[in-house]
């Protein structure tokens, strides 16, 4: 499937979810790279008027999970985050942020992905690594079976 088509499907899945409420917009998604954008608004700010660090951690968790998911969904598997290490590099108040995630390792039971968030001008804003667990499609999470797929 074309990475832009996958991105459009993911955007549709995000309607009414946390990622959708954040305003995260997919540009392209494949098993090897995920690209997204986020337009900063006041809803992303903490009291000092800069983007809240939780926004960066959430965006990094989302894009890395998407990439790992694209990799395992066709095998009938699902993906859940185990660890998220996000580093905040530069304060931002406004503008559009570009996000790129790529895999570092892809194993049978876990994956490690890395993501960067940059301003439209290319300045590094945040980086992160997320370790993800590959789960079988019939695994229950919080009382409901995982439904892999895009």
């Amino acid at each position: 499937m074309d990475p832009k088509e996958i991105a459009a499907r993911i955007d549709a899945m995000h309607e009414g979810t946390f990622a959708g409420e954040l305003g995260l917009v997919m540009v392209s998604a494949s098993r090897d790279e995920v690209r997204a954008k986020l337009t900063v608004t006041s809803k992303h700010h903490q009291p000092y008027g800069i983007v809240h660090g939780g926004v960066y951690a959430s965006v990094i968790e989302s894009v890395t999970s998407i990439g790992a998911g694209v990799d395992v969904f066709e095998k009938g598997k699902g993906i859940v985050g185990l660890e998220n290490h996000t580093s905040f590099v530069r304060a931002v108040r406004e503008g559009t942020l570009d996000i790129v995630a790529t895999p570092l390792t892809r194993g049978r039971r876990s994956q490690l992905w890395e993501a960067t968030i940059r301003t439209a001008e290319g300045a590094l804003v945040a980086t992160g690594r997320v370790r993800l667990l590959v789960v079988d499609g019939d695994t229950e999470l919080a009382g409901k079976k995982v439904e892999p797929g895009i």
Side-chain angles (χ1 to χ4, degrees):
M1 191 180 312
D2 176 68
K4 290 186 179 185
E5 182 181 336
I6 293 171
R9 287 185 180 199
I10 292 167
D11 280 341
M13 290 171 63
H14 280 170
E15 289 181 28
T17 69
F18 183 67
E21 292 299 311
L22 272 177
L24 185 63
V25 176
M26 296 293 106
V27 174
S28 65
S30 73
R31 71 181 298 269
D32 296 317
E33 181 183 79
V34 175
R35 290 186 172 271
K37 291 194 175 293
L38 180 75
T39 300
V40 175
T41 69
S42 61
K43 73 179 180 182
H44 299 112
H45 289 172
Q46 46 95 303
Y48 293 146
I50 59 175
V51 175
H52 189 287
V55 172
Y56 300 135
S58 297
V59 166
I60 287 170
E61 176 94 19
S62 295
V63 295
T64 57
S65 295
I66 288 164
V70 171
D71 181 56
V72 302
F73 288 161
E74 66 186 32
K75 301 168 192 158
K77 307 276 186 183
I79 204 87
V80 293
L82 292 176
E83 293 178 314
N84 181 331
H85 297 273
T86 300
S87 296
F88 315 126
V89 178
R90 177 183 318 278
V92 171
R93 293 182 185 279
E94 59 188 16
T96 300
L97 301 176
D98 297 313
I99 304 104
V100 178
T102 54
L104 297 175
T105 64
R106 286 188 287 228
R108 187 176 52 81
R109 298 301 298 164
S110 70
Q111 297 192 19
L112 179 64
W113 280 67
E114 185 169 61
T116 58
I117 301 175
R118 296 180 180 276
T119 65
E121 297 75 35
L124 186 63
V125 174
T127 66
R129 285 186 174 188
V130 177
R131 189 167 63 96
L132 303 119
L133 177 67
V134 178
V135 297
D136 292 329
D138 61 353
T139 300
E140 281 194 19
L141 295 174
K144 186 175 177 186
K145 286 191 179 190
V146 171
E147 295 181 28
I150 298 173

